[in-house]
Amino acid sequence: MAKFDFLSDLNQPWHHLPIEQVLTALASSMEGLTYVNARQRLRYLGANKLPRSRPMFKIWLQPFLNPLTYLLFGVAIYLQWQGAEGWILLLVGAMHGGFGIYLTAATNAIKEQVLRDRPQRRQHEPSNSVMVLRDRETLELPSRDLVIGDILLLQAGDRPNVDLRLVESSADLIVNQTNLGGEAICQKQADLICDLKTAPLDCGNMIWAGTEITAGNAKGVVIARGLLTKEQAALNKEQPFSAIHSELRQLRQLGLGILILVITTVNGLSWQRGITLNLMIASALVISTYPKNLLRLATYVQLLGMRDLAKQRLWARFPAVLDAIGRVTTIVPIVESDVVLSFDELSRGGISWRALIRASEDDAQAFGQVIGIETHSYFAGAQERIRQWQGDRRRASVAVIGYDLEDISLLRAADIGICDRNCCKELQDSAALILPKEDFHYLPIAILEGRAVFDRLQRMVTLSTVSALTLAIVVLMDAAAGFSVPPLQLIWIGAIATPIVAIPLVREPSHQQLLHQPAHRFQTMLRSSNYIRISLAVFATVTAVCLVFSLKYQGQAALLSQARTMAFVTLGFSQIFHACAIARQSIFQNLPLLLGVSAIALCQVLFVQVPWFSDILLTVPLNGVEWAIAILSATAVFWVQELLK
């Protein structure tokens, strides 16, 4: 098959080449490929189809493609060889790696389920059969048998799943490119030769996969198929990380910087005392404070929100839409004179309404005074108005509700384009959120779900951040006092107990009260109120741990083990009380959280009272009074959160 090696390098400017040169480069002709040549190319290239989902073996291999995995292996083996508990690092790493694999698999499953509920799904799918030229004959073939160099015949209504360079076209050929972010009416012509730097959607001699022939007929040569088409590149580009993903990345980088600073400081304190920093403690601190699977969890929660909306017949185009709709502060419908707006419920949540109307600016102003919202002319710089509203508030988003074909440009200019299922499919291809029908009462449902997604992730991140900062400060204070925190206690609190009580928070149902809270609370996690909340929670937890330790220790070496154990109990139960304080519903209504809290409480008792566990975690049994003092001290973070409410 060496004669088909040229098919593996097809990154050429086909739009800039004459038709004869394109056919020559693809070893094809106007009469089409021969049967034998086409069959050989099909065996060489494989079937023309997209993978239905990510193969499971790639998901399982994912942790082994991360260099940090091998770093963890090396550190664990070295520590085990040195007589430390390196096995626990491998165990925790495997646990979080397995959870990451589960999240990836669950995300793929939810994504497929949501796509099955997509409106007008059949209209978005290409036909299973196509008309091609083979040996000068017109044949109907399955689309999966198309190969590079095939001559494809197209007519009105066809949606090809391959990229084509036109070789013949009728004078009335029109292509709809809205599904790729282009215009609904694009005239195409085969004998054009476009400039080398022409944007793909502006190439008048190309037809891309995912577009639709609106009128006319054409003949084109296949230049790309499968994952190599512009449609797949556009889908990847059109699904960027949401704003909340960017914030989580910033938090992760900030956490890593703080972690490096803490380890460096602890090393300096130990060096002053003539002690070498214990590698096991440093490793335990890293694995118990570094945020793991954070971005995967964010995507997973957003997809759960998409699925919940789909059950109510609201369809979001991408997971990032849930984040954008949760941050919305301005809704701009394109209204008619007889429109009925209902915005009282959203106004209480800090969301303002503005409108565009197809009338003069004077008439728009007069109409706005009648309906009570700011209204402007659709024809007087509507896109500039939208950009102005977008710049009014930082990180806020503007939603535009359109109904007609000419509204496509405004939907794309907005952060969120909205339409309903009764609109034309070109408009639906350009919209980020599709409502079941023309009814503003569906908007609160979508906004509530977007805010709920943000709120779930925010509470999970808050709990994890408080735990990580608390452990870092405890290690610093222990190093300054000349003590050494048992590494396994750090790993249990930060890498096991905290995720067990934090993850159930992302599965809580949407709380109706979120819709009435100020919009600024859902713009960003990186705001001063959150910093204050986290700081107070960390202060309360660290103070409780220090008080318990100091009251029991009192400078007596014989009581060090009891004091350390009581501090360990206080740390463990602080995670429980913190999770209960920030949960949106009662712990008895959240079964995963109830099971997690019960498991952590039971393990804390076992780790202290059972000799085998106490030998591993370096704890000693406590009496009833000591248990009561430690647990009551752990409630400090609960009362701080209640006061903040």
Side-chain angles (χ1 to χ4, degrees):
M1 290 297 178
K3 61 180 180 178
F4 292 138
D5 285 346
F6 71 95
L7 296 177
S8 60
D9 183 19
L10 298 172
N11 189 20
Q12 298 190 41
W14 303 108
H15 61 282
H16 186 60
L17 301 177
I19 296 174
E20 297 78 11
Q21 192 172 344
V22 172
L23 294 174
T24 302
L26 296 175
S28 183
S29 66
M30 295 291 292
E31 292 78 21
L33 300 173
T34 65
Y35 300 115
V36 175
N37 193 314
R39 184 58 57 182
Q40 289 175 337
R41 294 191 185 198
L42 185 62
R43 283 200 298 266
Y44 178 77
L45 297 171
N48 172 38
K49 61 182 182 180
L50 298 173
R52 291 184 177 271
S53 61
R54 193 174 183 182
M56 199 62 199
F57 77 91
K58 288 188 176 180
I59 297 177
W60 282 100
L61 286 176
Q62 199 172 40
F64 299 99
L65 301 178
N66 190 342
L68 294 178
T69 301
Y70 300 99
L71 179 61
L72 178 65
F73 275 135
V75 172
I77 292 172
Y78 174 77
L79 288 171
Q80 192 67 32
W81 179 59
Q82 293 292 326
E85 300 87 350
W87 59 273
I88 192 66
L89 298 180
L90 290 178
L91 182 63
V92 172
M95 181 185 74
H96 285 283
F99 181 63
I101 291 173
Y102 163 77
L103 281 179
T104 304
T107 296
N108 288 343
I110 296 174
K111 191 181 299 183
E112 289 185 357
Q113 181 182 351
V114 171
L115 287 176
R116 285 196 297 269
D117 297 331
R118 182 176 61 187
Q120 293 190 343
R121 181 170 180 267
R122 294 181 180 178
Q123 294 180 356
H124 283 78
E125 291 182 345
S127 58
N128 292 324
S129 61
V130 293
M131 303 299 295
V132 298
L133 284 178
R134 294 274 175 89
D135 277 341
R136 302 183 180 182
E137 295 183 0
T138 302
L139 300 177
E140 184 175 1
L141 297 176
S143 60
R144 65 175 181 272
D145 290 344
L146 283 175
V147 296
I148 303 296
D150 258 329
I151 301 297
L152 185 62
L153 305 178
L154 299 172
Q155 57 185 358
D158 287 345
R159 295 180 68 98
N161 66 343
V162 293
D163 289 346
L164 301 167
R165 167 63 163 91
L166 287 173
V167 295
E168 287 184 7
S169 62
S170 62
D172 59 344
L173 179 62
I174 296 176
V175 179
N176 174 15
Q177 299 185 151
T178 54
N179 198 38
L180 299 184
E183 299 297 329
I185 300 177
C186 300
Q187 295 183 339
K188 301 286 184 176
Q189 190 175 347
D191 56 2
L192 288 177
I193 297 180
C194 301
D195 187 77
L196 188 61
K197 296 182 179 180
T198 305
L201 293 182
D202 294 333
C203 294
N205 56 6
M206 305 291 295
I207 295 180
W208 308 109
T211 59
E212 181 179 8
I213 308 300
T214 303
N217 54 73
K219 183 188 296 185
V221 58
V222 178
I223 59 161
R225 49 179 222 144
L227 292 173
L228 301 179
T229 62
K230 293 292 183 183
E231 179 187 28
Q232 294 303 310
L235 285 175
N236 293 332
K237 183 179 180 180
E238 221 174 47
Q239 299 184 64
F241 276 155
S242 62
I244 202 168
H245 281 85
S246 301
E247 291 183 3
L248 293 177
R249 280 183 164 179
Q250 293 179 40
L251 286 173
R252 189 171 63 180
Q253 293 171 357
L254 179 61
L256 186 59
I258 293 175
L259 183 59
I260 294 173
L261 178 62
V262 169
I263 292 177
T264 304
T265 305
V266 171
N267 190 22
L269 293 173
S270 301
W271 179 77
Q272 284 184 349
R273 297 176 180 272
I275 305 172
T276 303
L277 176 63
N278 190 326
L279 181 59
M280 184 62 197
I281 293 179
S283 302
L285 184 61
V286 170
I287 204 169
S288 58
T289 58
Y290 181 77
K292 298 163 282 292
N293 296 312
L294 196 57
L295 299 181
R296 289 192 184 97
L297 266 171
T299 303
Y300 175 71
V301 176
Q302 288 177 343
L303 282 169
L304 288 177
M306 286 182 65
R307 188 181 66 180
D308 292 342
L309 287 181
K311 291 179 181 178
Q312 303 180 72
R313 300 180 64 237
L314 286 85
W315 186 70
R317 189 176 182 86
F318 300 119
V321 174
L322 271 294
D323 183 56
I325 197 67
R327 297 171 189 262
V328 70
T329 56
T330 305
I331 299 177
V332 186
I334 301 171
V335 299
E336 302 293 339
S337 59
D338 58 348
V339 68
V340 177
L341 295 179
S342 174
F343 51 82
D344 289 341
E345 189 174 9
L346 295 180
S347 297
R348 284 185 290 172
I351 298 174
S352 61
W353 286 75
R354 294 181 170 97
L356 296 171
I357 188 170
R358 292 177 175 88
S360 65
E361 183 64 22
D362 292 338
D363 291 342
Q365 296 286 346
F367 182 74
Q369 292 178 1
V370 173
I371 64 176
I373 63 174
E374 181 183 344
T375 307
H376 295 278
S377 171
Y378 181 90
F379 307 110
Q383 292 194 25
E384 287 72 17
R385 294 278 184 189
I386 293 173
R387 283 192 284 269
Q388 177 186 349
W389 294 329
Q390 286 172 327
D392 286 347
R393 299 188 187 179
R394 186 183 178 189
R395 299 181 184 271
S397 59
V398 175
V400 172
I401 307 174
Y403 304 98
D404 296 328
L405 194 64
E406 57 266 26
D407 300 337
I408 289 177
S409 59
L410 298 183
L411 263 60
R412 289 181 179 155
D415 299 290
I416 312 157
I418 302 176
C419 69
D420 61 74
R421 296 196 185 202
N422 297 322
C423 296
C424 61
K425 58 185 176 182
E426 290 84 3
L427 196 66
Q428 294 187 38
D429 287 341
S430 302
L433 180 68
I434 301 177
L435 307 180
K437 58 183 180 180
E438 187 180 345
D439 192 340
F440 291 116
H441 289 92
Y442 285 101
L443 287 177
I445 298 174
I447 294 172
L448 175 61
E449 190 60 42
R451 289 187 170 189
V453 167
F454 180 90
D455 182 65
R456 292 165 192 153
L457 291 171
Q458 181 174 250
R459 286 181 289 119
M460 182 202 69
V461 169
T462 298
L463 181 58
S464 302
T465 303
V466 169
S467 173
L469 291 176
T470 299
L471 293 180
I473 292 174
V474 167
V475 170
L476 271 175
M477 296 177 69
D478 263 27
F483 300 130
S484 178
V485 181
L488 295 190
Q489 293 184 12
L490 291 175
I491 293 175
W492 162 252
I493 298 295
I496 301 176
T498 300
I500 288 176
V501 295
I503 291 174
L505 297 177
V506 304
R507 296 301 304 269
E508 286 189 309
S510 303
H511 198 284
Q512 191 68 28
Q513 191 61 32
L514 294 175
L515 199 58
H516 302 146
Q517 293 186 3
H520 69 84
R521 294 186 179 179
F522 306 95
Q523 302 307 308
T524 175
M525 290 185 183
L526 309 175
R527 63 181 193 274
S528 57
S529 59
N530 275 349
Y531 294 146
I532 294 172
R533 188 180 298 271
I534 290 173
S535 301
L536 290 176
V538 171
F539 176 77
T541 307
V542 171
T543 301
V545 170
C546 291
L547 283 176
V548 167
F549 180 85
S550 59
L551 289 175
K552 186 64 180 179
Y553 178 54
Q554 295 183 352
Q556 301 180 36
L559 298 177
L560 177 61
S561 297
Q562 285 90 342
R564 180 185 288 165
T565 302
M566 290 179 67
F568 170 62
V569 171
T570 301
L571 269 175
F573 276 91
S574 291
Q575 311 309 311
I576 294 175
F577 290 119
H578 194 186
C580 294
I582 64 177
R584 286 291 178 187
Q585 60 180 171
S586 170
I587 184 176
F588 299 104
Q589 296 176 324
N590 189 337
L591 182 59
L593 182 58
L594 178 61
L595 293 176
V597 165
S598 302
I600 299 304
L602 177 61
C603 288
Q604 287 290 143
V605 174
L606 294 177
F607 292 161
V608 173
Q609 299 299 123
V610 177
W612 187 81
F613 289 112
S614 61
D615 291 341
I616 296 177
L617 276 87
L618 302 180
T619 59
V620 295
L622 302 177
N623 57 40
V625 175
E626 292 169 336
W627 272 102
I629 293 173
I631 294 175
L632 287 174
S633 300
T635 63
V637 67
F638 177 85
W639 299 118
V640 166
Q641 293 295 333
E642 289 298 313
L643 288 172
L644 289 173
K645 291 180 183 179

